[in-house]
Amino acid sequence: SDCWAMLSAGHKAIAIPSATLLTKKDIEQLSIINCQLSIVYHMFPDRDAPGERLFLQLQQVLPSLVHHQLPPDCKDFSDLFLKGLIDN
């Protein structure tokens, strides 16, 4: 649902089904994409320990990854979007 919310907000998005399901193959693919393209990646990690761990894992592969902190009353990007708190 977070990926759909990102797309609905007008952003490109990469879906990782769960913070605990990042595979070695996912990491390899992201690394290849990062080497081929000059993209600044942004992430709104879920407001929980697995979301923050996923951010730290991805930051190792995508050093320019930008962390966006969700408000305390939003558990994930979808929640932020549904509350109308995201600018397009």
Side-chain angles (χ1 to χ4, degrees):
S1 64
D2 293 330
C3 194
W4 286 113
M6 281 289 236
L7 294 169
S8 296
H11 303 288
K12 295 180 175 125
I14 296 172
I16 297 173
S18 167
T20 59
L21 296 178
L22 184 67
T23 67
K24 187 173 182 169
K25 184 171 179 152
D26 294 332
I27 292 170
E28 290 170 1
Q29 289 177 334
L30 287 170
S31 181
I32 290 167
I33 292 169
N34 189 51
C35 288
Q36 293 175 347
L37 304 172
S38 296
I39 297 174
V40 176
Y41 295 90
H42 296 258
M43 183 175 176
F44 290 79
D46 289 359
R47 287 190 62 90
D48 57 17
E52 290 300 322
R53 277 194 306 273
L54 177 61
F55 172 79
L56 293 173
Q57 285 179 294
L58 290 173
Q59 192 177 40
Q60 292 177 8
V61 181
L62 309 168
S64 65
L65 182 63
V66 178
H67 184 284
H68 295 273
Q69 185 67 50
L70 294 166
D73 61 335
C74 294
K75 70 176 193 72
D76 56 26
F77 186 86
S78 181
D79 200 18
L80 183 74
F81 180 74
L82 291 172
K83 291 180 179 184
L85 299 174
I86 188 73
D87 294 327
N88 289 351

Coordinates of all heavy atoms in Angstrom, one line a residue:
S1 N 0.8 -1.2 0.0 CA 0.0 0.0 0.0 C 0.9 1.3 0.0 O 0.4 2.3 -0.5 CB -1.0 0.0 1.2 OG -0.3 0.0 2.4
D2 N 2.0 1.2 0.6 CA 2.9 2.4 0.6 C 3.4 2.7 -0.8 O 3.4 3.9 -1.2 CB 4.2 2.1 1.5 CG 3.8 2.0 2.9 OD1 2.8 2.6 3.4 OD2 4.5 1.3 3.6
C3 N 3.7 1.7 -1.6 CA 4.1 2.0 -3.0 C 3.0 2.6 -3.8 O 3.2 3.6 -4.5 CB 4.6 0.7 -3.6 SG 5.5 0.9 -5.2
W4 N 1.7 2.1 -3.6 CA 0.6 2.7 -4.3 C 0.4 4.1 -3.9 O 0.1 5.0 -4.7 CB -0.7 1.9 -4.1 CG -0.7 0.6 -4.8 CD1 -0.6 -0.7 -4.3 CD2 -0.8 0.4 -6.2 NE1 -0.7 -1.6 -5.3 CE2 -0.8 -1.0 -6.5 CE3 -0.9 1.3 -7.3 CZ2 -0.8 -1.5 -7.8 CZ3 -0.9 0.8 -8.6 CH2 -0.9 -0.6 -8.8
A5 N 0.5 4.4 -2.6 CA 0.4 5.8 -2.1 C 1.4 6.7 -2.7 O 1.1 7.8 -3.1 CB 0.5 5.8 -0.6
M6 N 2.7 6.2 -2.8 CA 3.8 7.0 -3.4 C 3.4 7.3 -4.9 O 3.6 8.5 -5.3 CB 5.1 6.3 -3.4 CG 5.8 6.3 -2.1 SD 6.4 7.9 -1.8 CE 8.1 7.6 -1.5
L7 N 3.0 6.3 -5.6 CA 2.6 6.5 -7.0 C 1.4 7.5 -7.1 O 1.4 8.4 -8.0 CB 2.3 5.2 -7.7 CG 3.4 4.2 -7.8 CD1 2.9 2.8 -8.2 CD2 4.5 4.7 -8.8
S8 N 0.4 7.4 -6.2 CA -0.7 8.2 -6.2 C -0.3 9.7 -5.9 O -1.0 10.6 -6.3 CB -1.7 7.8 -5.2 OG -2.2 6.5 -5.6
A9 N 0.7 9.9 -5.1 CA 1.2 11.2 -4.8 C 2.1 11.8 -5.9 O 2.6 12.9 -5.7 CB 2.0 11.1 -3.4
G10 N 2.3 11.0 -6.9 CA 3.1 11.5 -8.1 C 4.5 11.2 -8.0 O 5.3 11.9 -8.8
H11 N 4.9 10.3 -7.2 CA 6.3 9.9 -7.1 C 6.6 8.6 -7.7 O 5.7 7.7 -7.7 CB 6.8 9.9 -5.6 CG 6.5 11.2 -4.9 ND1 7.3 12.3 -5.1 CD2 5.6 11.5 -4.0 CE1 6.8 13.3 -4.4 NE2 5.8 12.8 -3.7
K12 N 7.8 8.4 -8.2 CA 8.2 7.0 -8.6 C 8.5 6.2 -7.3 O 8.9 6.8 -6.3 CB 9.5 7.1 -9.5 CG 9.2 7.8 -10.8 CD 10.4 7.9 -11.7 CE 9.9 8.5 -13.0 NZ 10.7 9.6 -13.4
A13 N 8.3 4.9 -7.4 CA 8.5 4.1 -6.2 C 9.0 2.7 -6.5 O 8.7 2.2 -7.5 CB 7.2 4.0 -5.4
I14 N 9.8 2.2 -5.6 CA 10.3 0.9 -5.6 C 9.6 0.2 -4.4 O 9.7 0.6 -3.3 CB 11.8 0.8 -5.5 CG1 12.5 1.5 -6.7 CG2 12.3 -0.7 -5.4 CD1 14.0 1.6 -6.6
A15 N 9.0 -1.0 -4.7 CA 8.3 -1.7 -3.6 C 9.2 -2.8 -3.0 O 9.8 -3.6 -3.8 CB 7.0 -2.3 -4.1
I16 N 9.4 -2.8 -1.7 CA 10.0 -3.9 -1.0 C 8.9 -4.4 -0.1 O 8.4 -3.7 0.7 CB 11.2 -3.4 -0.2 CG1 12.3 -2.9 -1.2 CG2 11.8 -4.6 0.6 CD1 13.5 -2.3 -0.6
P17 N 8.4 -5.7 -0.3 CA 7.2 -6.2 0.3 C 7.2 -6.1 1.9 O 6.2 -5.9 2.5 CB 7.1 -7.6 -0.2 CG 8.3 -7.9 -0.9 CD 9.1 -6.7 -1.1
S18 N 8.4 -6.2 2.4 CA 8.5 -6.1 3.9 C 9.9 -5.8 4.3 O 10.8 -6.1 3.6 CB 8.1 -7.5 4.5 OG 8.5 -7.6 5.8
A19 N 10.0 -5.1 5.4 CA 11.3 -4.6 5.9 C 12.2 -5.9 6.2 O 13.4 -5.8 6.2 CB 11.2 -3.8 7.1
T20 N 11.6 -7.0 6.4 CA 12.3 -8.2 6.8 C 12.6 -9.1 5.6 O 13.2 -10.1 5.7 CB 11.6 -9.0 7.8 OG1 10.3 -9.4 7.3 CG2 11.4 -8.2 9.1
L21 N 12.1 -8.7 4.4 CA 12.3 -9.5 3.2 C 13.2 -9.0 2.1 O 13.2 -9.5 1.0 CB 10.9 -9.7 2.5 CG 9.9 -10.5 3.4 CD1 8.5 -10.6 2.6 CD2 10.4 -11.9 3.7
L22 N 14.1 -8.1 2.5 CA 15.1 -7.6 1.5 C 16.1 -8.8 1.2 O 16.8 -9.3 2.1 CB 15.8 -6.4 2.1 CG 16.8 -5.7 1.1 CD1 16.1 -5.1 0.0 CD2 17.6 -4.7 1.9
T23 N 16.2 -9.2 0.0 CA 17.0 -10.3 -0.4 C 18.4 -9.8 -0.9 O 18.5 -8.7 -1.3 CB 16.4 -11.2 -1.4 OG1 16.3 -10.4 -2.7 CG2 15.0 -11.6 -1.0
K24 N 19.3 -10.7 -1.0 CA 20.6 -10.5 -1.6 C 20.4 -10.0 -3.1 O 21.1 -9.1 -3.5 CB 21.5 -11.7 -1.5 CG 22.9 -11.4 -1.9 CD 23.8 -12.6 -1.6 CE 25.3 -12.2 -2.0 NZ 26.2 -13.2 -1.6
K25 N 19.5 -10.7 -3.8 CA 19.2 -10.3 -5.2 C 18.7 -8.9 -5.3 O 19.1 -8.2 -6.2 CB 18.3 -11.3 -5.8 CG 18.0 -11.1 -7.2 CD 17.2 -12.2 -7.9 CE 17.0 -11.8 -9.4 NZ 16.9 -12.9 -10.2
D26 N 17.8 -8.5 -4.3 CA 17.3 -7.1 -4.3 C 18.4 -6.2 -4.2 O 18.5 -5.2 -4.9 CB 16.3 -6.9 -3.2 CG 15.0 -7.7 -3.3 OD1 14.6 -8.0 -4.4 OD2 14.4 -8.0 -2.2
I27 N 19.3 -6.5 -3.3 CA 20.5 -5.6 -3.0 C 21.4 -5.5 -4.2 O 21.8 -4.4 -4.6 CB 21.3 -6.1 -1.8 CG1 20.4 -5.9 -0.5 CG2 22.6 -5.4 -1.6 CD1 21.0 -6.5 0.7
E28 N 21.6 -6.6 -4.9 CA 22.4 -6.6 -6.1 C 21.8 -5.8 -7.2 O 22.4 -5.0 -7.9 CB 22.6 -8.0 -6.6 CG 23.5 -8.9 -5.7 CD 23.5 -10.3 -6.1 OE1 22.8 -10.8 -7.0 OE2 24.2 -11.1 -5.4
Q29 N 20.5 -5.9 -7.4 CA 19.8 -5.1 -8.4 C 19.8 -3.6 -8.1 O 20.0 -2.8 -9.0 CB 18.3 -5.6 -8.6 CG 18.2 -7.0 -9.2 CD 16.8 -7.5 -9.3 OE1 15.9 -7.2 -8.5 NE2 16.6 -8.4 -10.2
L30 N 19.6 -3.3 -6.9 CA 19.6 -1.9 -6.5 C 21.0 -1.3 -6.7 O 21.2 -0.2 -7.1 CB 19.2 -1.7 -5.0 CG 17.7 -1.8 -4.8 CD1 17.4 -1.9 -3.3 CD2 16.9 -0.7 -5.5
S31 N 22.0 -2.1 -6.4 CA 23.4 -1.7 -6.6 C 23.7 -1.4 -8.0 O 24.4 -0.4 -8.4 CB 24.4 -2.7 -6.0 OG 25.7 -2.3 -6.1
I32 N 23.3 -2.3 -8.9 CA 23.5 -2.1 -10.3 C 22.8 -0.9 -10.8 O 23.4 -0.1 -11.6 CB 23.0 -3.4 -11.1 CG1 23.9 -4.6 -10.8 CG2 22.9 -3.1 -12.6 CD1 23.3 -5.9 -11.3
I33 N 21.5 -0.7 -10.4 CA 20.8 0.5 -10.9 C 21.5 1.7 -10.4 O 21.6 2.7 -11.1 CB 19.3 0.4 -10.3 CG1 18.5 -0.7 -11.0 CG2 18.6 1.8 -10.5 CD1 17.2 -1.0 -10.4
N34 N 21.9 1.7 -9.1 CA 22.6 2.9 -8.6 C 23.9 3.2 -9.3 O 24.2 4.4 -9.5 CB 22.9 2.6 -7.1 CG 23.4 3.9 -6.4 OD1 22.7 4.9 -6.5 ND2 24.5 3.8 -5.7
C35 N 24.6 2.2 -9.7 CA 25.8 2.5 -10.5 C 25.6 3.0 -11.9 O 26.4 3.8 -12.4 CB 26.6 1.2 -10.6 SG 27.4 0.7 -9.0
Q36 N 24.4 2.6 -12.5 CA 24.1 3.0 -13.8 C 23.4 4.4 -13.9 O 23.6 5.1 -15.0 CB 23.2 2.0 -14.5 CG 23.9 0.7 -14.7 CD 23.0 -0.4 -15.3 OE1 21.8 -0.3 -15.3 NE2 23.6 -1.5 -15.7
L37 N 22.7 4.8 -12.9 CA 21.9 6.0 -13.0 C 22.3 7.0 -11.9 O 22.7 6.5 -10.8 CB 20.4 5.7 -12.8 CG 19.9 4.7 -13.8 CD1 18.4 4.3 -13.4 CD2 19.9 5.2 -15.2
S38 N 22.2 8.2 -12.1 CA 22.5 9.3 -11.1 C 21.2 9.7 -10.5 O 20.5 10.6 -10.9 CB 23.2 10.5 -11.7 OG 24.4 10.1 -12.2
I39 N 20.7 8.9 -9.5 CA 19.4 9.1 -8.9 C 19.7 9.4 -7.4 O 20.4 8.6 -6.8 CB 18.5 7.9 -9.1 CG1 18.2 7.7 -10.6 CG2 17.2 8.1 -8.3 CD1 17.4 6.5 -10.8
V40 N 19.0 10.4 -6.9 CA 18.9 10.5 -5.4 C 17.7 9.8 -4.9 O 16.6 10.1 -5.4 CB 18.9 12.0 -5.0 CG1 18.8 12.2 -3.5 CG2 20.2 12.7 -5.5
Y41 N 17.9 8.8 -4.1 CA 16.8 8.0 -3.6 C 16.3 8.6 -2.3 O 17.1 9.1 -1.5 CB 17.2 6.6 -3.4 CG 17.5 5.9 -4.6 CD1 18.8 5.9 -5.1 CD2 16.6 5.2 -5.3 CE1 19.2 5.2 -6.3 CE2 16.9 4.5 -6.5 CZ 18.2 4.6 -7.0 OH 18.5 3.9 -8.2
H42 N 15.0 8.6 -2.0 CA 14.3 9.1 -0.8 C 13.5 7.9 -0.2 O 13.0 7.1 -0.9 CB 13.4 10.2 -1.1 CG 14.1 11.4 -1.7 ND1 14.4 12.5 -0.9 CD2 14.6 11.7 -2.9 CE1 15.1 13.4 -1.6 NE2 15.2 12.9 -2.8
M43 N 13.5 7.9 1.1 CA 12.8 6.8 1.8 C 12.0 7.4 3.0 O 12.5 8.2 3.7 CB 13.7 5.7 2.2 CG 13.0 4.6 2.9 SD 14.2 3.3 3.3 CE 13.2 2.1 4.1
F44 N 10.8 7.0 3.1 CA 9.9 7.3 4.3 C 9.8 5.9 5.0 O 8.8 5.2 4.8 CB 8.6 7.8 3.8 CG 8.5 9.1 3.2 CD1 8.9 9.3 1.9 CD2 8.1 10.2 4.0 CE1 8.9 10.6 1.3 CE2 8.1 11.5 3.4 CZ 8.5 11.7 2.1
P45 N 10.8 5.6 5.8 CA 10.7 4.3 6.5 C 9.5 4.2 7.5 O 9.1 5.3 8.0 CB 12.0 4.1 7.2 CG 12.6 5.4 7.3 CD 12.0 6.3 6.2
D46 N 8.9 3.1 7.6 CA 7.8 2.9 8.6 C 8.4 3.3 10.0 O 9.6 3.1 10.2 CB 7.4 1.4 8.6 CG 6.6 1.0 7.4 OD1 6.3 1.9 6.5 OD2 6.1 -0.1 7.4
R47 N 7.5 3.8 10.8 CA 7.9 4.2 12.2 C 8.0 3.0 13.1 O 7.2 2.9 14.1 CB 6.9 5.2 12.7 CG 7.0 6.6 12.0 CD 6.2 7.7 12.8 NE 6.7 7.9 14.1 CZ 7.6 8.7 14.5 NH1 8.2 9.5 13.6 NH2 7.9 8.9 15.7
D48 N 8.9 2.1 12.8 CA 9.1 1.0 13.6 C 10.6 0.5 13.4 O 11.3 1.0 12.5 CB 8.1 -0.2 13.4 CG 8.1 -0.7 12.0 OD1 9.1 -0.4 11.2 OD2 7.1 -1.4 11.6
A49 N 11.0 -0.4 14.3 CA 12.4 -0.9 14.2 C 12.7 -1.5 12.9 O 13.8 -1.3 12.3 CB 12.7 -1.8 15.4
P50 N 11.8 -2.4 12.3 CA 12.2 -3.0 11.0 C 12.3 -2.0 9.9 O 13.2 -2.1 9.1 CB 11.0 -4.0 10.8 CG 10.5 -4.3 12.1 CD 10.7 -3.1 12.9
G51 N 11.5 -0.9 9.9 CA 11.6 0.1 8.9 C 12.9 0.8 9.0 O 13.5 1.1 8.0
E52 N 13.3 1.2 10.2 CA 14.6 1.8 10.4 C 15.8 0.9 10.0 O 16.7 1.4 9.4 CB 14.8 2.4 11.8 CG 13.8 3.5 12.1 CD 14.1 4.7 11.2 OE1 15.2 5.1 10.9 OE2 13.1 5.4 10.9
R53 N 15.7 -0.4 10.3 CA 16.7 -1.3 9.9 C 16.8 -1.4 8.4 O 17.9 -1.5 7.8 CB 16.5 -2.7 10.5 CG 17.0 -2.8 11.9 CD 17.0 -4.3 12.4 NE 15.8 -5.0 12.3 CZ 14.8 -5.0 13.2 NH1 15.0 -4.3 14.3 NH2 13.7 -5.7 13.0
L54 N 15.7 -1.4 7.7 CA 15.7 -1.5 6.3 C 16.3 -0.3 5.7 O 17.1 -0.3 4.8 CB 14.2 -1.6 5.8 CG 14.1 -1.6 4.2 CD1 14.8 -2.8 3.6 CD2 12.6 -1.6 3.8
F55 N 16.0 0.9 6.3 CA 16.7 2.1 5.8 C 18.2 2.0 5.9 O 19.0 2.3 5.0 CB 16.2 3.4 6.6 CG 17.0 4.6 6.2 CD1 16.8 5.3 5.1 CD2 18.1 5.0 7.1 CE1 17.6 6.4 4.7 CE2 18.9 6.1 6.7 CZ 18.6 6.8 5.6
L56 N 18.7 1.5 7.0 CA 20.1 1.4 7.3 C 20.8 0.4 6.3 O 21.9 0.6 5.8 CB 20.4 1.0 8.7 CG 20.1 2.1 9.7 CD1 20.3 1.5 11.2 CD2 20.9 3.3 9.5
Q57 N 20.0 -0.7 6.0 CA 20.5 -1.7 5.0 C 20.6 -1.1 3.6 O 21.6 -1.3 2.9 CB 19.6 -2.9 5.0 CG 19.6 -3.9 6.1 CD 18.6 -5.0 5.9 OE1 17.4 -4.7 5.9 NE2 19.1 -6.2 5.7
L58 N 19.6 -0.4 3.3 CA 19.5 0.3 1.9 C 20.6 1.4 1.8 O 21.2 1.6 0.7 CB 18.1 0.8 1.6 CG 17.1 -0.3 1.4 CD1 15.7 0.4 1.3 CD2 17.4 -1.1 0.1
Q59 N 20.8 2.1 2.9 CA 21.8 3.1 2.8 C 23.2 2.6 2.6 O 24.0 3.3 2.0 CB 21.8 3.9 4.2 CG 22.6 5.2 4.1 CD 22.4 6.0 5.4 OE1 22.5 5.4 6.5 NE2 22.3 7.3 5.3
Q60 N 23.5 1.4 2.9 CA 24.8 0.8 2.6 C 24.9 0.6 1.1 O 26.1 0.7 0.6 CB 24.9 -0.6 3.3 CG 25.0 -0.4 4.8 CD 25.1 -1.8 5.5 OE1 25.2 -2.8 4.9 NE2 25.0 -1.7 6.8
V61 N 23.9 0.3 0.4 CA 23.9 0.1 -1.0 C 23.7 1.4 -1.8 O 24.2 1.6 -2.9 CB 22.8 -0.9 -1.5 CG1 22.8 -1.2 -3.0 CG2 22.9 -2.2 -0.7
L62 N 22.9 2.3 -1.2 CA 22.5 3.6 -1.8 C 23.0 4.7 -0.9 O 22.2 5.2 -0.1 CB 21.0 3.7 -2.1 CG 20.4 2.5 -2.8 CD1 18.8 2.6 -2.7 CD2 20.8 2.5 -4.2
P63 N 24.3 5.0 -0.9 CA 24.8 6.0 0.1 C 24.1 7.4 0.1 O 24.1 8.0 1.1 CB 26.3 6.1 -0.3 CG 26.6 5.0 -1.2 CD 25.3 4.6 -1.8
S64 N 23.5 7.8 -1.0 CA 22.9 9.1 -1.0 C 21.4 9.0 -0.6 O 20.7 10.0 -0.7 CB 23.0 9.7 -2.4 OG 22.3 8.9 -3.3
L65 N 21.0 7.8 -0.1 CA 19.6 7.7 0.3 C 19.2 8.7 1.4 O 19.9 8.8 2.4 CB 19.4 6.2 0.9 CG 18.0 5.9 1.3 CD1 17.0 5.9 0.1 CD2 18.0 4.5 1.9
V66 N 18.1 9.4 1.1 CA 17.6 10.5 2.0 C 16.5 9.9 2.9 O 15.6 9.3 2.4 CB 17.1 11.7 1.2 CG1 16.6 12.8 2.1 CG2 18.2 12.2 0.3
H67 N 16.7 10.1 4.2 CA 15.7 9.6 5.2 C 14.7 10.7 5.4 O 15.0 11.9 5.7 CB 16.4 9.3 6.5 CG 15.6 8.7 7.5 ND1 14.7 9.5 8.3 CD2 15.4 7.4 8.0 CE1 14.1 8.7 9.2 NE2 14.5 7.5 9.0
H68 N 13.4 10.4 5.3 CA 12.3 11.3 5.7 C 11.6 10.7 6.9 O 11.0 9.6 6.8 CB 11.3 11.5 4.5 CG 12.0 12.1 3.3 ND1 12.0 13.5 3.2 CD2 12.6 11.6 2.2 CE1 12.6 13.8 2.0 NE2 13.0 12.7 1.5
Q69 N 11.5 11.5 7.9 CA 10.9 11.0 9.2 C 9.4 11.3 9.1 O 8.9 12.4 8.8 CB 11.4 11.7 10.4 CG 10.9 11.2 11.7 CD 11.3 9.8 12.0 OE1 12.5 9.5 11.9 NE2 10.4 9.0 12.3
L70 N 8.6 10.3 9.3 CA 7.1 10.4 9.3 C 6.7 11.1 10.6 O 7.4 10.9 11.7 CB 6.5 9.0 9.2 CG 6.6 8.3 7.9 CD1 6.2 6.9 8.0 CD2 5.8 9.0 6.8
P71 N 5.6 11.8 10.6 CA 5.0 12.4 11.9 C 4.7 11.2 12.9 O 4.4 10.1 12.4 CB 3.8 13.1 11.4 CG 3.9 13.3 10.0 CD 4.8 12.2 9.5
P72 N 4.7 11.5 14.1 CA 4.4 10.5 15.1 C 3.1 9.8 15.0 O 3.0 8.6 15.3 CB 4.4 11.3 16.5 CG 5.2 12.5 16.2 CD 5.0 12.8 14.7
D73 N 2.1 10.4 14.4 CA 0.8 9.8 14.2 C 0.6 9.0 12.9 O -0.5 8.6 12.6 CB -0.3 10.8 14.4 CG -0.3 11.9 13.3 OD1 0.8 12.2 12.8 OD2 -1.3 12.5 13.1
C74 N 1.7 8.9 12.2 CA 1.7 8.1 10.9 C 2.6 6.9 11.0 O 3.8 7.1 11.3 CB 2.1 9.0 9.7 SG 0.9 10.4 9.4
K75 N 2.0 5.7 10.8 CA 2.9 4.5 10.9 C 3.7 4.2 9.6 O 4.7 3.6 9.7 CB 2.1 3.3 11.4 CG 1.1 2.8 10.3 CD 0.4 1.5 10.8 CE -0.3 0.8 9.7 NZ 0.5 0.2 8.7
D76 N 3.1 4.7 8.5 CA 3.8 4.5 7.2 C 3.4 5.5 6.2 O 2.6 6.4 6.5 CB 3.5 3.1 6.7 CG 2.0 2.8 6.5 OD1 1.2 3.7 6.4 OD2 1.7 1.6 6.6
F77 N 4.0 5.5 5.0 CA 3.7 6.5 4.0 C 2.2 6.5 3.6 O 1.6 7.6 3.4 CB 4.6 6.3 2.8 CG 4.4 7.5 1.8 CD1 5.2 8.6 1.9 CD2 3.5 7.4 0.7 CE1 5.0 9.7 1.0 CE2 3.3 8.4 -0.1 CZ 4.1 9.6 0.0
S78 N 1.6 5.3 3.5 CA 0.2 5.2 3.1 C -0.6 6.0 4.1 O -1.6 6.7 3.7 CB -0.2 3.8 3.1 OG -1.5 3.6 2.7
D79 N -0.3 5.9 5.4 CA -1.1 6.6 6.4 C -0.9 8.1 6.2 O -1.8 8.9 6.3 CB -0.5 6.1 7.8 CG -1.4 6.4 8.9 OD1 -2.6 6.7 8.7 OD2 -0.9 6.4 10.1
L80 N 0.3 8.5 5.9 CA 0.6 9.9 5.7 C -0.2 10.5 4.5 O -0.8 11.5 4.6 CB 2.1 10.1 5.4 CG 2.7 11.5 5.2 CD1 2.7 12.3 6.5 CD2 4.0 11.4 4.6
F81 N -0.2 9.7 3.4 CA -1.0 10.0 2.2 C -2.5 10.1 2.5 O -3.1 11.1 2.1 CB -0.7 9.0 1.1 CG -1.4 9.4 -0.2 CD1 -1.0 10.4 -1.0 CD2 -2.5 8.6 -0.6 CE1 -1.6 10.7 -2.2 CE2 -3.1 8.9 -1.8 CZ -2.7 9.9 -2.6
L82 N -3.0 9.1 3.2 CA -4.4 9.1 3.5 C -4.9 10.3 4.3 O -6.0 10.8 4.2 CB -4.9 7.8 4.1 CG -4.8 6.6 3.1 CD1 -5.0 5.3 3.9 CD2 -5.8 6.7 2.0
K83 N -4.0 10.7 5.2 CA -4.3 11.9 6.1 C -4.1 13.2 5.3 O -4.3 14.3 5.9 CB -3.4 11.8 7.3 CG -3.8 10.7 8.2 CD -3.0 10.7 9.5 CE -3.4 9.5 10.4 NZ -2.7 9.4 11.6
G84 N -3.6 13.2 4.1 CA -3.5 14.4 3.3 C -2.3 15.2 3.7 O -2.3 16.4 3.5
L85 N -1.3 14.6 4.3 CA -0.1 15.3 4.9 C 1.1 15.4 4.0 O 2.1 15.8 4.4 CB 0.3 14.7 6.2 CG -0.8 14.7 7.3 CD1 -0.4 14.0 8.5 CD2 -1.2 16.2 7.6
I86 N 0.9 14.9 2.7 CA 2.1 14.9 1.8 C 1.8 15.9 0.7 O 0.7 16.0 0.1 CB 2.3 13.4 1.2 CG1 3.6 13.4 0.5 CG2 1.2 13.0 0.4 CD1 4.8 13.4 1.3
D87 N 2.9 16.6 0.3 CA 2.8 17.5 -0.8 C 3.1 16.8 -2.1 O 4.1 16.0 -2.1 CB 3.8 18.7 -0.6 CG 3.4 19.6 0.5 OD1 2.2 19.7 0.8 OD2 4.3 20.1 1.2
N88 N 2.4 17.0 -3.1 CA 2.7 16.3 -4.4 C 3.9 17.0 -5.1 O 4.2 18.1 -5.0 CB 1.5 16.4 -5.3 CG 0.5 15.4 -4.8 OD1 0.6 14.6 -3.9 ND2 -0.7 15.5 -5.4

